């Protein structure tokens, strides 16, 4: 119980420390914030203790947390402070803590204009509290509170430390996601009003489901749109390219690495868990949109001319695979979605770190001006090649499992619609190879471009970068070879969730 | 042990050494890792063959997707062991050769590590008893091929060739993944043994078979996914020998052989394979006749010879296909490495700059002669025995009552294989004469000399292999290892036919003047040199439309989808501004509005009260 509170409280304390210190102690404040981020990684990993070794089976709610805190919060409104960790949320919590630590460590080493790094670290830690809270929350209203907690700090990160067009991008990001949040709030109200409780564990329990089919459909549609904005699902994705391109490096890493996961996690936990009848009816629509996202994301990437924008659109494609996995409503699909989530967080986080490194050195992300990076900066080019290959879903690296098994799950559903969707998703995989290899050809191969020649000593990798990137490189390889690192946790809960639909 | 130790070590050792090698800069350490890695594979492969065939491993579970488990286990049966030896020999020869071929290349260290990684991936494909592990090895080979083709910085066409190689095979791999997904889902497991035992319905077998063939067509450069292989010659010559002649391109053939019990049950898939094989054989042979670049001749020759292997599989002769795979690995690797020596000496790939090398590079000359002889199928060299086995099997299938495919398809394979022998004779003779005979046609050819011994030794070894290896076709134990009832090679009257064709082809290419290019007598030589413009067709039908679609999608996404969002925002602004203006009304308008509102409320109330009473 204390571990759960610690996981939430440590980053909050770190944020207060970092923000509270005066500006002459800026570096000390950043070090302090990073220390708290490291401590939260420790508590996140320590949450593993106490996990039962037997897979949960049998009737009951699909959510069976192995650490739980359930306190009365606003009893008259039937709102409780209910948090807990289970196999689905645990890998995501560790991922969040790790990425925040890496971003804080990166900020120790480099702070973008206009400085005041301690405030950036403080905001990153507040975002961490919000995201971990989302993954821990087992009460709908609490879930919504944490979901919203993330928005304004992220807006601030983009608007203050971002690129030239940051104001517009930040505004678009916050307004678009607020629109989704409004729908989320209405959905939460529909559920709480119709079912009488906001407790996710009770709401997911098929034996005690008090929500009738009609409200379930309404609730699912509202929730799905809200989470679709967050994930993002085509066509509700247009906030993403601007936000990613204009955000500072650490902002993009957190945005792509974990913020997007709130949407897919929410869809699985809240949408599918609470309103399965609604999910059953809407799943084909979701699947079609997911495959559209894969294909549109792939095609648009093929025509991109700017590095960060290309990686941003690739996220649209990857989340398409995750959402396809969820839409199949099978264990295979859920497992594919969950490992796809974690893999995307690791690999795209690494890609944005690299994009930041390239832009810092070459002062541009335009593909036309880059080129021949492997002549001038071979190590950086090698890591970029590794990240791109991992992101296109090469078997043996983390991204493969989510993509391939989303296709397997779709084929497994059978029938003309699902089979065609599976085939189209597989074609999307080929498109991913096309655009990433095009990226590598433009950036790393060929003659050195105007912004790349003359980098000289600056081209070498710095120790701060190696420290930030090596865990991600190692994890991409480790999860690729041993997917049980993620799937072992989520297999039980995913099976329980899929059992609601009568599918193994 | 749930996973066989030898089977586990085979991919792990070179793979581990490769990962270490990627972090190494020092040339000598990299060379040591390279030699140890490939040497270990060779040693372990010999141990596997000596130990004898084993049944499939029970395997360990590496991922659980609900009731669908992904396991890893090896299956070291007879063909696996023999193919492993071929992979080990060629990999070791190439690694040794590369040490001096790339002696002045400062990026030798990552090259050697990538070759080790490639070897690990190929070995994984061969030993794997599970479809997912096989897919992992399959794709990692593809990425290593991409990395290695693009190795040479000084070649501007190399990055494009690398991307083309990966993407064309990726297109095939879409089908490969779908085929595996279908099989795994319907069989409830990805373990190959379990897939064989599962009760799969006819349509599933046909669909899975054809989808798997898409991947095979890509990796093994069969029509229509063959277009990447000639361009892949932009990679260093040892890579062409290893990846694009002996191993990766043979992986497709190996996979069909491994999954043969499935293919046997779906004649439709085998018929598709037969058609592909026939077209590929002829196309490769014709295109090879008209190439100016020595490596391109060999590349098209590889395409054509792979057609022999897939043709043999299509007529149900798995043993003949694997036999030809093994002999082809030996003599094609030999041909490429020897060509590498020639290119190294002359400084160019083009045969018009060669000539007169017979006296200046005798060892290379004789090795290449043996290689070309094996390719054409001159007895008693290796290629004779394996090619005859393929042709014999095709004729038998055409004459049989109940073969795995219709007799017409088998006969088409036989006919194509026979005619291709003529083309093979032609281009082999042409290459031989233009490269080695007559007067030297350039300064560098004047000063041609033998390559250093680290390059010569592998060539000589492979030349010896190309002489000797064929005789195993007569050995019953070898045939049984490959799954046949007896020896692979059968003496029959049919043996004469390809010999006649070969002699004809060779004679047609002979010119009194060694520098005269025999292709000049052939009318449509431009079409042949451009392989019937299939490359341009692919560009027009696939590459350009996709690029155009990409641009259109981007514009639509930015203007319409985003435009909707932006106009929603603009609309909100506009509505807000309009309402603000409406609120700023002067007193007369405000008073009128208030009075009108009051009247409306009164009217509604009156109507409601009236309804009530």
């Amino acid at each position: 119980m204390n571990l759960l509170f610690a996981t939430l409280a440590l980053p909050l304390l770190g944020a207060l420390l970092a923000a509270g210190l005066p500006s002459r102690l800026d570096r000390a404040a950043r070090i302090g914030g990073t220390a708290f981020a490291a401590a939260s990684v420790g508590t996140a990993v320590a949450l593993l203790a106490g996990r039962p070794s037997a897979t949960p089976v049998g009737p009951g709610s699909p959510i069976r947390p192995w650490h739980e805190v359930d306190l009365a919060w606003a009893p008259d409104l039937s709102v409780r402070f209910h948090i807990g960790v289970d196999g689905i949320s645990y890998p995501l919590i560790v991922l969040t803590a790790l990425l925040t630590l890496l971003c804080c460590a990166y900020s120790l080493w480099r702070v973008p204009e206009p400085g005041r790094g301690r405030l950036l670290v403080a905001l990153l830690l507040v975002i961490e509290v919000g995201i971990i809270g989302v993954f821990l929350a087992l009460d709908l209203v609490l879930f919504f509170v944490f979901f919203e907690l993330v928005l304004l700090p992220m807006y601030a990160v983009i608007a203050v430390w971002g690129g030239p067009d940051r104001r517009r991008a930040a505004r678009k990001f916050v307004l678009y996601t607020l629109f989704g949040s409004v729908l989320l709030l209405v959905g939460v109200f529909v559920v709480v009003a119709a079912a009488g409780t906001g407790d996710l564990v009770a709401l997911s329990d098929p034996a005690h489901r008090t929500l009738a089919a009609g409200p379930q459909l309404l609730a699912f549609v509202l929730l799905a749109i809200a989470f679709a904005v967050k994930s993002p699902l085509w066509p509700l994705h247009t906030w993403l390219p601007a936000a990613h391109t204009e955000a500072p490096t650490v902002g993009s890493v957190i945005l792509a690495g974990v913020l997007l996961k709130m949407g897919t996690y929410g869809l699985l936990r809240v949408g599918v868990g609470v309103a399965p009848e609604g999910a059953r009816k809407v799943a084909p629509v979701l699947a079609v949109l997911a495959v559209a996202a894969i294909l549109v994301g792939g095609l648009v990437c093929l025509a991109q001319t700017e590095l960060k924008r290309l990686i941003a659109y690739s996220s649209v494609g990857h989340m398409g695979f995750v959402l396809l996995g969820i839409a199949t409503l099978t264990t295979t699909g859920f497992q594919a979605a969950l490992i796809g989530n974690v893999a995307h967080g690791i690999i795209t986080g690494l890609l944005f770190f690299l994009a930041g490194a390239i832009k810092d050195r070459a002062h541009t992300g335009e593909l036309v001006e880059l080129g021949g990076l492997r002549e001038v900066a071979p190590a950086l080019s090698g890591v970029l090649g590794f990240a791109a290959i991992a992101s296109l879903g090469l078997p043996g690296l983390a991204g493969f499992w989510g993509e391939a098994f989303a296709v397997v799950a779709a084929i497994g559903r059978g029938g003309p619609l699902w089979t065609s969707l599976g085939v189209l998703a597989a074609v999307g995989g080929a498109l991913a190879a096309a655009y990433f290899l095009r990226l590598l050809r433009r950036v790393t191969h060929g003659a050195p471009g105007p912004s790349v020649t003359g980098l000289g000593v600056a081209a070498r990798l710095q120790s701060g970068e190696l420290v930030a990137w090596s865990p991600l490189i190692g994890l991409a390889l480790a999860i690729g070879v041993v997917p049980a690192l993620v799937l072992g946790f989520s297999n039980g809960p995913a099976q329980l969730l899929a059992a609601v639909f009568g599918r193994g | 042990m749930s996973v066989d130790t030898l089977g586990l070590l085979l991919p792990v050792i070179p793979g581990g050494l490769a990962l270490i090698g990627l972090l190494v800069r020092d040339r000598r350490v990299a060379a040591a890792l390279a030699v140890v890695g490939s040497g270990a594979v060779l040693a372990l492969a010999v141990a596997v063959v000596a130990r004898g065939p084993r049944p499939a491993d029970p395997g360990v579970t590496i991922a659980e997707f609900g009731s669908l488990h992904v396991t890893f286990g090896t299956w070291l049966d007879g063909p696996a062991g023999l193919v492993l030896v071929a992979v080990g020999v060629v990999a070791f020869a190439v690694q040794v050769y590369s040490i001096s071929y790339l002696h002045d290349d400062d990026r030798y260290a990552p090259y050697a590590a990538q070759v080790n990684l490639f070897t690990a991936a190929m070995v994984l494909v061969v030993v794997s008893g599970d479809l997912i592990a096989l897919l992992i090895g399959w794709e990692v080979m593809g990425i290593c091929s991409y990395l290695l083709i693009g190795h040479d910085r000084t070649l501007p066409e190399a990055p494009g060739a690398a991307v083309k190689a990966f993407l064309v095979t990726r297109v095939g791999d879409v089908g490969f993944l779908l085929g595996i997904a279908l099989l795994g889902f319907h069989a409830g497991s990805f373990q190959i043994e379990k897939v064989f035992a599962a009760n799969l319905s006819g349509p599933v077998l046909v669909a899975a078979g054809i989808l798997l063939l898409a991947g095979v067509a890509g990796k093994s450069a069969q029509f229509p996914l063959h277009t990447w292989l000639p361009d892949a010659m932009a990679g260093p010559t040892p890579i062409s020998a290893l990846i694009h002649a002996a191993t990766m391109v043979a992986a497709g053939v190996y996979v069909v052989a491994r999954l043969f019990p499935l293919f046997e049950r779906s004649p439709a898939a085998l018929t598709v394979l037969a058609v592909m094989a026939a077209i590929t054989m002829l196309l490769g042979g014709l295109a090879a006749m008209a190439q100016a670049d020595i490596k391109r001749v060999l590349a098209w020759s590889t395409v054509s010879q792979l057609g022999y292997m897939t043709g043999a599989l299509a007529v149900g002769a798995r043993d003949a296909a694997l036999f030809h795979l093994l002999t082809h690995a030996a003599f094609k690797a030999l041909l490429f490495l020897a060509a590498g020596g020639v290119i190294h000496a002359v400084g160019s790939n083009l045969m018009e700059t060669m000539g007169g090398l017979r006296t200046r590079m005798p060892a290379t000359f004789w090795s290449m002669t043996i290689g070309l002889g094996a390719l054409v199928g001159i007895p008693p060299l290796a290629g004779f025995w394996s090619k005859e086995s393929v042709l014999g099997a095709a004729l038998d299938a055409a004459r049989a009552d109940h073969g795995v495919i219709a007799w017409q398809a088998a006969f088409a394979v036989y006919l194509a294989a026979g005619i291709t022998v003529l083309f093979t004779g032609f281009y082999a003779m042409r290459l031989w004469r233009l490269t080695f005979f007559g007067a030297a046609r350039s300064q560098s050819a004047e000063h041609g000399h033998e390559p250093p011994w680290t390059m010569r030794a592998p060539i000589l070894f492979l030349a010896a292999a190309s002489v000797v290896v064929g005789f195993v076709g007569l050995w019953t134990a070898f045939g049984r290892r490959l799954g046949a009832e007896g020896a692979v090679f059968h003496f029959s009257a049919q043996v004469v036919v390809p010999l006649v064709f070969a002699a004809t082809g060779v004679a047609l290419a002979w010119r009194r003047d060694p520098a005269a290019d025999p292709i000049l007598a052939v009318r449509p030589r431009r079409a042949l040199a451009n392989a019937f413009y299939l490359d341009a067709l692919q560009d027009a039908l696939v590459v350009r439309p996709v690029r155009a679609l990409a641009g259109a999608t981007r514009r639509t996404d930015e203007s319409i989808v985003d435009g909707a969002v932006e106009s929603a925002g603009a609309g909100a602004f506009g509505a807000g501004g309009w309402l603000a203006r409406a609120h700023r009304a002067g007193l007369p308008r405000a008073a009128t509005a208030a009075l009108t509102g009051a009247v409306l409320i009164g009217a509604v109330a009156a109507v409601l009260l009236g309804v009530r009473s």
Side-chain angles (χ1 to χ4, degrees):
Chain A
M1 162 168 159
N2 287 322
L3 269 179
L4 286 175
F5 277 121
T7 319
L8 282 175
L10 282 171
L12 194 56
L13 290 172
L16 290 170
L17 172 72
L21 287 176
S23 61
R24 59 190 164 79
L25 290 174
D26 189 86
R27 194 174 165 77
R30 278 184 277 148
I31 294 175
T34 310
F36 275 95
S40 74
V41 173
T43 49
V45 173
L47 279 173
L48 194 53
R51 175 173 172 255
S53 44
T55 3
V57 287
S61 172
I63 306 178
R64 313 232 176 129
W66 65 76
H67 284 298
E68 208 175 348
V69 169
D70 194 359
L71 304 169
W73 191 23
D76 298 328
L77 299 170
S78 57
V79 175
R80 299 184 67 82
F81 189 86
H82 189 181
I83 55 176
V85 61
D86 81 335
I88 291 182
S89 48
Y90 179 70
L92 291 166
I93 294 171
V94 175
L95 177 70
T96 311
L98 178 67
L99 279 178
T100 311
L101 171 62
L102 293 176
C103 287
C104 291
Y106 193 83
S107 304
L108 267 183
W109 177 69
R110 179 186 289 264
V111 178
E113 290 295 314
R116 286 178 295 181
R118 71 193 186 289
L119 293 177
L120 180 58
V121 168
L123 286 170
L124 287 175
L125 289 168
V126 172
I127 294 174
E128 182 184 1
V129 174
I131 300 179
I132 292 187
V134 166
F135 293 141
L136 286 176
L138 291 177
D139 179 278
L140 271 178
V141 179
L142 189 62
F143 178 91
F144 178 77
V145 169
F146 278 120
F147 203 83
E148 293 306 288
L149 184 58
V150 172
L151 285 185
L152 286 182
M154 197 71 230
Y155 168 78
V157 168
I158 300 177
V160 176
W161 286 275
D165 199 23
R166 58 188 180 274
R167 292 288 157 83
R168 208 179 67 88
R171 229 186 354 239
K172 190 165 177 180
F173 160 73
V174 81
L175 288 175
Y176 209 140
T177 20
L178 270 174
F179 157 72
S181 303
V182 166
L183 292 175
L184 176 62
L185 187 59
V186 176
V188 165
F189 280 157
V190 167
V191 173
V192 173
T197 171
D199 189 57
L200 274 174
V201 179
L203 283 168
S204 310
D205 193 343
H208 301 112
R209 203 177 298 282
T210 44
L211 212 52
Q216 276 197 32
L217 181 59
L218 175 63
F220 187 79
V221 170
L222 290 166
L223 294 169
I225 299 180
F227 294 128
V229 172
K230 200 69 172 185
S231 300
L233 178 62
W234 190 88
L236 300 171
H237 67 291
T238 48
W239 60 269
L240 184 81
H244 270 125
T245 314
E246 299 301 325
T249 304
V250 293
S252 299
V253 170
I254 290 293
L255 191 51
V258 266
L259 226 83
L260 303 186
K261 313 299 173 282
M262 298 197 323
T264 49
Y265 169 83
L267 189 63
L268 190 59
R269 184 78 101 192
V270 177
V272 173
V274 168
E277 290 306 311
R280 211 194 287 261
K281 293 202 187 86
V282 179
V285 176
L286 267 181
V288 171
L289 288 176
V291 171
I294 297 171
L295 292 172
V296 170
L299 286 169
V300 176
C301 278
L302 207 48
Q304 280 302 327
T305 53
E306 206 269 337
L307 182 60
K308 282 183 91 165
R309 215 176 154 86
L310 191 150
I311 303 172
Y313 268 106
S314 82
S315 293
V316 175
H318 284 120
M319 288 295 114
F321 276 103
V322 172
L323 287 161
L324 177 64
I326 296 177
T328 59
L329 301 179
T330 59
T331 315
T332 312
F334 292 155
Q335 287 279 70
L338 291 166
I339 193 170
N341 251 349
V342 174
H344 177 260
I346 296 170
I347 296 169
T348 311
L350 178 62
L351 273 172
F352 274 114
F353 269 128
L354 291 167
I358 293 175
K359 280 189 89 161
D360 284 337
R361 287 169 169 79
H363 303 293
T364 176
E366 292 292 329
L367 297 182
V368 153
E369 298 185 27
L370 296 169
L373 198 65
R374 73 171 174 171
E375 310 288 326
V376 175
L380 178 58
S381 158
V383 182
L384 179 65
F386 174 82
I389 289 170
S391 194
L392 66 84
L394 191 82
L397 296 173
F400 161 69
W401 299 101
E403 291 192 5
F405 280 87
V407 172
V408 171
I411 299 276
R413 273 297 294 263
L417 172 69
W418 288 101
T419 312
S420 332
L421 289 176
V423 172
L424 288 172
V427 172
L431 273 177
Y435 67 71
F436 270 117
L437 291 186
R438 173 180 168 266
L439 171 72
L440 286 181
R441 188 156 153 219
R442 296 281 165 93
V443 174
T444 59
H445 290 129
S451 309
V452 168
T453 43
L455 277 183
V457 168
R460 285 178 46 217
L461 287 186
Q462 309 290 329
S463 50
E465 294 172 320
L466 281 172
V467 163
W469 303 347
S470 352
L472 296 176
I473 297 175
L475 275 176
L477 195 53
I479 293 182
V481 177
V482 188
L485 285 173
V486 174
L487 295 174
F489 292 109
S490 50
N491 194 35
Q495 262 179 323
L496 289 172
L497 199 51
V500 172
F501 299 95
R503 292 194 194 96
Chain B
M1 276 288 278
S2 32
V3 179
D4 184 67
T5 324
L6 276 183
L8 183 61
L9 285 176
L10 270 161
V12 164
I13 292 182
L17 291 180
L19 291 176
I20 299 172
L22 285 171
L23 302 169
V24 156
R25 293 280 169 81
D26 182 56
R27 181 177 207 92
R28 273 176 314 204
V29 175
L33 288 173
V35 170
V36 167
S38 50
V41 168
L42 180 54
L44 289 168
V46 171
V48 166
V49 172
R51 193 178 62 168
R54 284 286 175 96
D57 287 340
V60 291
T61 306
I62 54 175
E64 286 174 56
F65 287 88
S67 53
L68 201 55
H69 288 210
V70 177
T71 53
F72 175 72
T74 61
W75 190 354
L76 295 166
D77 59 1
L82 293 166
V83 175
L84 279 172
V85 171
V87 172
V89 166
V90 179
F92 188 72
V94 163
Q95 288 278 35
V96 169
Y97 183 96
S98 302
I99 296 176
S100 46
Y101 193 80
L102 293 169
H103 73 274
D104 56 356
D105 190 328
D106 57 351
R107 286 183 61 236
Y108 170 75
Y111 166 95
Q114 285 158 10
V115 175
N116 256 346
L117 185 61
F118 169 83
T119 313
M122 178 70 197
V123 163
L124 184 59
V125 170
V126 176
V127 304
S128 172
D130 290 274
L131 291 171
I132 294 288
L134 191 147
L135 180 64
I136 293 178
W138 183 267
E139 297 269 2
V140 174
M141 281 201 294
I143 208 69
C144 289
S145 164
Y146 160 80
L147 291 170
L148 288 163
I149 293 175
H151 174 86
D152 191 344
R153 286 164 164 161
T154 62
L155 285 176
E157 67 266 19
V163 173
K164 182 173 178 180
F166 193 77
L167 287 183
V168 174
T169 47
R170 232 319 153 110
V171 168
D173 291 343
V174 168
F176 202 66
L177 174 65
L178 289 170
I180 289 181
L182 209 55
L183 285 175
F185 180 74
H186 284 275
S189 163
F190 290 103
Q191 268 185 304
I192 297 180
E193 239 193 346
K194 296 214 175 101
V195 173
F196 288 163
N199 195 2
L200 297 168
S201 69
V204 168
L205 276 171
V206 172
I210 294 183
L211 287 168
L212 287 171
L213 284 182
V216 168
K219 271 294 193 289
S220 292
Q222 301 292 291
F223 175 85
L225 293 175
H226 64 281
T227 46
W228 63 272
L229 189 54
D231 288 339
M233 296 298 111
T237 307
I239 296 306
S240 307
L242 177 63
I243 299 183
H244 305 127
T247 47
M248 183 173 95
V249 292
V253 175
Y254 179 79
V255 165
V256 177
R258 171 74 103 183
L259 298 176
F260 208 61
L262 293 177
F263 281 99
E264 272 178 325
R265 291 188 246 166
S266 58
L270 284 179
T271 311
V272 171
L273 188 60
V275 172
M276 263 177 16
I279 299 178
T280 307
M281 279 190 259
L282 293 167
L283 175 63
L286 284 167
M289 282 165 47
Q291 299 300 318
D293 179 326
I294 192 173
K295 283 181 75 173
R296 280 191 169 236
V297 176
L298 295 176
W300 282 110
S301 165
T302 305
V303 171
S304 179
Q305 295 298 309
L306 288 167
Y308 275 92
M309 296 178 219
T310 47
L313 287 168
V315 301
R318 192 175 87 134
D319 53 335
L322 287 170
F323 185 30
H324 197 57
L325 191 158
L326 295 171
T327 59
H328 179 262
F331 65 71
K332 208 29 103 37
L334 163 65
L335 281 170
F336 267 110
L337 292 183
V342 169
I343 295 170
H344 182 88
V346 175
S348 160
N349 288 14
L350 297 174
M351 291 190 287
E352 66 186 10
T353 61
M354 298 176 189
L357 294 176
R358 180 173 60 103
T359 42
R360 294 167 177 86
M361 305 172 67
T364 308
F365 167 70
W366 283 110
S367 309
M368 206 143 186
T369 308
I370 292 175
L372 288 170
L375 173 62
V376 171
I378 298 175
L381 300 172
F384 163 72
W385 305 96
S386 55
K387 216 181 263 201
E388 293 286 356
S389 308
V390 171
L391 282 155
L395 190 60
D396 288 341
R399 290 204 294 219
D401 289 328
H402 303 290
V404 287
I405 51 171
W407 71 266
Q408 293 95 328
F411 192 68
V413 170
Y414 179 70
L415 213 56
I419 297 175
T420 309
V421 175
L422 191 150
F423 300 148
T424 312
F426 187 96
Y427 68 70
M429 179 61 149
R430 173 177 176 256
L431 189 150
W432 195 56
R433 295 278 285 171
L434 285 177
T435 309
F436 291 108
F437 287 84
R441 290 190 290 279
S442 72
Q443 275 283 20
S444 354
E446 276 283 340
H447 305 296
H449 58 276
E450 288 283 12
W453 74 267
T454 33
M455 280 168 69
R456 238 180 305 164
I459 297 176
L460 293 172
F461 177 76
L462 287 171
S466 302
V467 175
V468 169
V469 158
F471 292 104
V472 297
L474 292 167
W475 193 14
T476 16
F478 174 78
R480 278 207 219 101
R481 274 289 173 97
L482 286 182
E485 271 119 41
V488 184
F489 177 82
H490 307 285
F491 277 104
S492 71
Q494 190 285 128
V495 167
V496 176
V497 173
L499 288 175
V500 169
F501 273 119
T504 318
V506 164
L508 284 173
W510 195 84
R511 296 282 179 278
R512 179 152 305 160
D513 172 16
D517 193 343
I519 198 63
L520 294 174
V522 176
R523 233 337 120 86
R525 64 176 176 281
R526 275 272 189 78
L528 292 187
N530 288 310
F532 306 100
Y533 304 103
L534 284 169
D535 227 351
L537 193 65
Q538 180 185 63
D539 191 56
L541 283 182
V542 178
V543 178
R544 291 214 196 147
V546 170
R547 280 213 198 111
L549 188 62
T553 314
R554 178 187 168 182
R555 279 190 297 277
T556 314
D557 198 65
E558 282 172 8
S559 55
I560 298 183
V561 178
D562 201 24
V565 173
E566 296 281 335
S567 47
F573 262 125
W578 183 84
L579 277 172
R581 277 196 303 278
H583 270 95
R584 277 198 303 271
L587 192 54
R589 216 166 354 133
T592 320
L595 280 172
T596 318
V599 167
L600 270 173
I601 293 174
V604 169
V607 167
L608 281 177
L609 282 173
V611 168
R612 195 78 59 77
S613 59

